[in-house]
Amino acid sequence: MYVTIILFTLLAITGLASIIGIFRVKDLLHSIVLLSILFISISLVYLTLSQPLLAALQLLVMVGGVSTYLFIGTASQGFSRFKHTNVALLLVGALIIFGVMIYPVASNASQYSQASSNTFSVSSQSQFLAADAVLFYIIALLLFGIGLGAIVMYKKIGAGKWR
Amino acid sequence: MALTPIFFLGLSFAIFSLGIAGIMSSRHAVIMVLSSEIGLVAAMLLSVSTFYFGTGGNLLGLLFTIWGIASAEAMALIVIYRYLGKAEMDLDVRKLSKLRG
C-alpha cells in the first residue's frame, strides 16, 4: 500500500522537476529530453492506477512517436538564441491557475476520499507492476538510451567525418 | 492510507497549470508547443484517473484523440522549426508579426 504512495510521490516530483527544467535549460534538445522524462513518469503513474495497457500505449505514442519527432526536429540546431522563458512569471502564473483549479476540489475533499474507498478495496493494487509491463519498460528505456547515445555520438564525432 | 483521487487530481492540475503558465510566460515558439504537450499530458492523466475512480466507460477513443492531437502538434512543430530555422529566423513570437504579407 505504501509502496504505491512512495512511488507516486517520486514520480510526481520527477515530473514536476522535469517540467521546471524544460523552461530553465537553454538547449532545446535538453528540453525535449526532459519532456520525454515527463512522458515516462506519467506512463509509470498509469501503472500505479493498474492500467498497464494504457501505460504501454502512452509510452509507445508519446515517447516513441512525439519525442522522436521532436528529437528529429531539433537535433541539429538546438540552442535558443534568446532567453525564452520568464521563470518567475511561470511560477506565479502556475500557482494562480493551480489555486483556482484546486479550490473547488479541496473544499469538497471528503467526497473524493469516500469515492476512493469503494474502488480501491476491490482493485488489484499489488499487481500494479505486472511482469510484462516491466519487460516492456526495460526495452523502451534501452531504446531511448540508444537514441540519446546516437545523438551524443553524432554531436561528439561530427557529421563531417562520415561524408 | 491509500491513493485517493485527490492525489491524481492535484498532480494533473499542477502539470496543467505549469503547461498553461509556460505558454503565457514563454517567447520561443518551440517552448510554447512543448507547453501545450504538457497540458495534453495532464488532460490524459486526468481522464485516466477519472476513468479508474469513476463509473468507467469508453476511454480509448478519447485517449486516441488526444494522442493524435499531440503527434500532429509535434509534426507541425518540425515544419515550423526546420523552415523558419533555415530562414535564420529567431522563432521569437514577438517578432513573428513580421511574417505578415
Side-chain angles (χ1 to χ4, degrees):
Chain A
M1 191 68 78
Y2 283 105
V3 178
T4 51
I5 292 179
I6 292 168
L7 183 66
F8 177 83
T9 312
L10 284 177
L11 291 173
I13 291 170
T14 310
L16 293 176
S18 64
I19 293 175
I20 299 291
I22 287 172
F23 300 109
R24 292 276 302 174
V25 296
K26 204 179 175 194
D27 194 343
L28 292 178
L29 193 64
H30 294 171
S31 295
I32 290 160
V33 171
L34 288 168
L35 187 72
S36 314
I37 292 172
L38 171 70
F39 289 157
I40 292 171
S41 64
I42 291 294
S43 77
L44 284 169
V45 167
Y46 287 176
L47 282 188
T48 64
L49 282 167
S50 325
Q51 308 280 356
L53 174 68
L54 289 182
L57 280 176
Q58 164 89 3
L59 205 63
L60 273 175
V61 176
M62 299 308 275
V63 183
V66 174
S67 295
T68 311
Y69 295 153
L70 297 174
F71 271 128
I72 292 168
T74 57
S76 57
Q77 33 184 343
F79 277 96
S80 165
R81 293 182 204 154
F82 53 95
K83 190 172 179 294
H84 52 69
T85 306
N86 188 350
V87 180
L89 180 63
L90 168 81
L91 291 178
V92 171
L95 270 180
I96 292 172
I97 297 171
F98 180 71
V100 169
M101 288 176 81
I102 203 71
Y103 175 70
V105 176
S107 57
N108 296 319
S110 60
Q111 290 181 5
Y112 290 94
S113 59
Q114 284 166 8
S116 74
S117 61
N118 291 331
T119 50
F120 258 101
S121 57
V122 293
S123 63
S124 55
Q125 272 274 310
S126 59
Q127 298 174 357
F128 71 92
L129 268 173
D132 301 341
V134 171
L135 275 179
F136 195 87
Y137 271 87
I138 289 170
I139 293 169
L141 286 178
L142 276 176
L143 287 175
F144 187 60
I146 288 170
L148 278 186
I151 290 174
V152 170
M153 280 178 68
Y154 184 81
K155 282 196 161 185
K156 288 235 173 187
I157 297 171
K161 291 183 183 174
W162 296 95
R163 283 175 193 154
Chain B
M1 187 181 174
L3 278 176
T4 58
I6 289 283
F7 286 80
F8 298 96
L9 283 175
L11 178 61
S12 60
F13 285 175
I15 293 174
F16 185 78
S17 57
L18 276 170
I20 299 298
I23 295 176
M24 286 194 312
S25 63
S26 180
R27 281 165 57 193
H28 204 292
V30 175
I31 300 289
M32 289 171 83
V33 173
L34 296 191
S35 308
S36 61
E37 299 276 352
I38 293 169
L40 287 174
V41 163
M44 276 185 273
L45 177 61
L46 185 63
S47 57
V48 170
S49 62
T50 312
F51 166 78
Y52 182 70
F53 289 107
T55 54
N58 190 7
L59 183 71
L60 270 180
L62 175 68
L63 282 187
F64 275 116
T65 312
I66 300 177
W67 282 328
I69 293 170
S71 37
E73 246 181 83
M75 294 183 88
L77 175 69
I78 292 181
V79 174
I80 292 171
Y81 195 80
R82 299 301 291 185
Y83 284 92
L84 289 186
K86 267 185 190 171
E88 300 287 325
M89 292 284 296
D90 256 353
L91 287 180
D92 190 346
V93 289
R94 294 181 194 176
K95 296 177 185 168
L96 285 188
S97 56
K98 289 177 187 170
L99 284 179
R100 272 181 289 175

